[in-house]
Amino acid sequence: MTDLSEKEWDIEISAKSPVLNLGLKDVWHYRDLLVLLVRRDFVSFYKQTILGPIWFFVQPAITIIIYTIVFGNLAGIPVDGIPKPLFYLAGTVIWNYFAECILKTSTVFKDNASMLGKVYFPRLIMPLSIVLSNLIRFGVQLLLFVLVMLCYALSGSVFQPNFYLLLFPLLILMVAALGLGLGMLISAVTTKYRDLAFVVTFGVPLLMYTTTVIYPLSVVMEKYPAYSWLIKFNPVTAVIETVRYGFFSKGSFSWELLTYSSIVTACILLLGIVVFNRVGKSFVDTV
């Protein structure tokens, strides 16, 4: 007869675990579930729609047209010599990924309370699946950016990508980590205080105007130096500016600003994981 106490278990569920324990081993063990959730999130976006996956292109395309007309032509905001659609598209694609990550992760406990309360699996899988499914959408929208850039190149425009374009994977990882960290932090708080969910819903779109999605940092530094700190110290600003500088060699780039953004992102992600893990053990009692 085998002694159960001598068996080696794949997963041990304990009421107590280190605060900073990410549980990545458990996440890897449940990787099939992660893939399933990513596929569910991706497919559910366009299921029962007429245009299907084309909506991934339509949404940013319409946004860019409106930005070009309103901010580029009517308001006449300079764009550092970059073609206006490409300028707005570069910022919009980055911002959309960040906004989608934070908005959907912020309600993960509330949206999945019925499933999370019945079955055990690493809670971290839920926000990770949101970040990964949004990464696929980001990839599709990035393809639109490349196609528009190619059209401009074929029509005679000359672009000079530089060394800083190699930072692109790191920049996307920063955006994902920032959205994940803020989303987990907010989701933990909204289990008790639902008011924050309303603040996030209208606050995130407004937050876009404190980044350089529709205007370059150089314009803010030149015309509104007293308020430039508000734009510079938004962690997403450094990412957008670096992406544009890497693709077009125009605009501004600062190692100091990028380092600051990296440190803030790491701190928010760490804090989000700590709070998420603590709340994840008892959220069923409050949701």
Side-chain angles (χ1 to χ4, degrees):
M1 182 175 179
T2 306
D3 185 359
L4 292 177
S5 63
E6 294 179 355
K7 283 187 175 180
E8 293 184 359
W9 302 99
D10 294 327
I11 296 176
E12 181 180 349
I13 303 174
S14 174
K16 295 182 179 179
S17 60
V19 175
L20 296 179
N21 180 22
L22 297 178
L24 295 181
K25 183 181 178 182
D26 292 349
V27 171
W28 175 252
H29 188 81
Y30 282 84
R31 59 188 180 280
D32 292 339
L33 176 61
L34 179 61
V35 173
L36 186 67
L37 291 174
V38 170
R39 184 179 182 279
R40 182 202 64 174
D41 291 344
F42 182 75
V43 173
S44 63
F45 179 82
Y46 62 82
K47 200 170 185 179
Q48 294 183 329
T49 62
I50 297 175
L51 297 180
I54 296 176
W55 278 112
F56 290 119
F57 292 99
V58 172
Q59 183 180 356
I62 293 177
T63 302
I64 296 314
I65 291 172
I66 293 175
Y67 283 177
T68 302
I69 294 173
V70 176
F71 299 110
N73 296 336
L74 294 180
I77 299 176
V79 290
D80 281 339
I82 301 171
K84 292 172 185 173
L86 285 174
F87 177 88
Y88 296 125
L89 193 53
T92 300
V93 168
I94 298 292
W95 177 258
N96 281 349
Y97 182 42
F98 169 74
E100 287 293 320
C101 285
I102 188 173
L103 284 173
K104 294 188 176 179
T105 306
S106 64
T107 58
V108 67
F109 278 130
K110 181 171 67 68
D111 294 343
N112 301 279
S114 58
M115 182 169 64
L116 292 170
K118 295 175 182 176
V119 184
Y120 170 77
F121 57 88
R123 302 316 190 210
L124 193 60
I125 278 187
M126 298 303 297
L128 280 178
S129 68
I130 292 171
V131 171
L132 291 177
S133 61
N134 281 314
L135 184 62
I136 298 175
R137 296 174 196 171
F138 168 78
V140 175
Q141 295 185 355
L142 183 64
L143 179 62
L144 175 64
F145 171 77
V146 173
L147 289 176
V148 174
M149 194 172 175
L150 184 61
C151 289
Y152 270 94
L154 292 176
S155 63
S157 299
V158 178
F159 303 112
Q160 296 178 331
N162 54 47
F163 167 78
Y164 297 101
L165 190 58
L166 296 177
L167 294 172
F168 189 73
L170 175 63
L171 298 173
I172 301 310
L173 185 63
M174 286 173 57
V175 173
L178 187 62
L180 178 66
L182 283 173
M184 288 193 298
L185 200 57
I186 295 169
S187 69
V189 178
T190 51
T191 56
K192 287 187 177 180
Y193 308 102
R194 299 288 179 86
D195 307 70
L196 188 58
F198 296 103
V199 175
V200 171
T201 302
F202 75 83
V204 170
L206 291 178
L207 194 63
M208 184 197 75
Y209 295 98
T210 65
T211 67
T212 52
V213 172
I214 57 174
Y215 49 80
L217 183 60
S218 57
V219 170
V220 181
M221 297 285 287
E222 179 184 349
K223 295 187 176 181
Y224 307 100
Y227 303 102
S228 61
W229 63 270
L230 182 65
I231 313 300
K232 288 170 63 178
F233 293 110
N234 185 324
V236 184
T237 293
V239 174
I240 294 175
E241 288 293 305
T242 305
V243 168
R244 284 184 183 139
Y245 191 78
F247 272 103
F248 307 111
S249 294
K250 294 179 179 178
S252 59
F253 172 79
S254 166
W255 279 113
E256 290 78 9
L257 210 57
L258 192 59
T259 303
Y260 157 80
S261 180
S262 303
I263 294 173
V264 171
T265 298
C267 292
I268 290 177
L269 179 62
L270 186 62
L271 182 62
I273 291 172
V274 171
V275 176
F276 187 85
N277 283 342
R278 291 181 67 86
V279 174
K281 297 174 183 175
S282 59
F283 81 96
V284 177
D285 299 329
T286 53
V287 171

